[in-house]
Amino acid sequence: MNALPKSKVRPDLSWILDELVKTPEARHAVLLTADGLAMAASKDVGDVLADTIAASTTGLQSLSRNCAQFVSDQDTPWQQTMVQYRDGFLFVIAAGNGSFLVASAGMHVEVTNFSYLMADTVKRLGDAMAVEARQHTGQE
């Protein structure tokens, strides 16, 4: 997957996403910037699917963040969104400063365990998942 501009040198993080999707019932995983750029993906995710998921889940996590006041009177940060479909689940979790991790799994996935494994993946990679805010250069 080559979703980043060549001028940005980032470590290849796809290996740990491949490791995550070895979990029983797991299907795909994509690491995204908060503004919707795919940074890494598990092996069976092509550029088109990664871009589609990036666009869709960026909106989903943004909407989820804006619902915090419905959950608590305190300023509570968004951590995870899970969407259930007839045939499986979509998980979106905060992954680092300016990034989030998206994964999908089949209907029989152990939801709690898979959520834990996603959080553990984020923890293991730490700062490698963080994304600096993009600067507007005035050139489009």
Side-chain angles (χ1 to χ4, degrees):
M1 151 155 232
N2 189 10
L4 287 178
K6 295 204 184 296
S7 63
K8 297 283 185 183
V9 178
R10 289 197 142 311
D12 180 8
L13 303 176
S14 59
W15 65 272
I16 199 163
L17 301 180
D18 290 339
E19 190 177 291
L20 177 64
V21 298
K22 287 180 183 175
T23 305
E25 290 288 315
R27 292 183 38 100
H28 303 298
V30 181
L31 177 63
L32 305 170
T33 64
D35 58 353
L37 294 177
M39 295 191 300
S42 58
K43 65 180 175 159
D44 292 332
V45 177
D47 288 345
V48 172
L49 180 56
D51 289 344
T52 299
I53 292 305
S56 301
T57 55
T58 297
L60 181 61
Q61 65 88 23
S62 178
L63 290 170
S64 296
R65 287 178 194 277
N66 288 325
C67 291
Q69 66 186 1
F70 189 71
V71 174
S72 174
D73 291 334
Q74 306 300 312
D75 185 21
T76 186
W78 168 81
Q79 294 179 324
Q80 178 176 349
T81 300
M82 183 182 80
V83 180
Q84 182 176 355
Y85 299 87
R86 184 188 69 214
D87 295 328
F89 298 90
L90 176 74
F91 300 85
V92 185
I93 69 167
N97 185 22
S99 64
F100 58 99
L101 178 61
V102 180
S104 62
M107 195 61 204
H108 301 291
V109 71
E110 292 182 27
V111 171
T112 303
N113 183 55
F114 193 60
S115 292
Y116 171 81
L117 291 172
M118 288 181 68
D120 187 58
T121 299
V122 168
K123 187 182 208 180
R124 287 174 48 208
L125 285 173
D127 292 338
M129 293 177 121
V131 177
E132 291 182 28
R134 289 190 283 161
Q135 301 295 319
H136 180 65
T137 62
Q139 299 174 355
E140 301 286 334

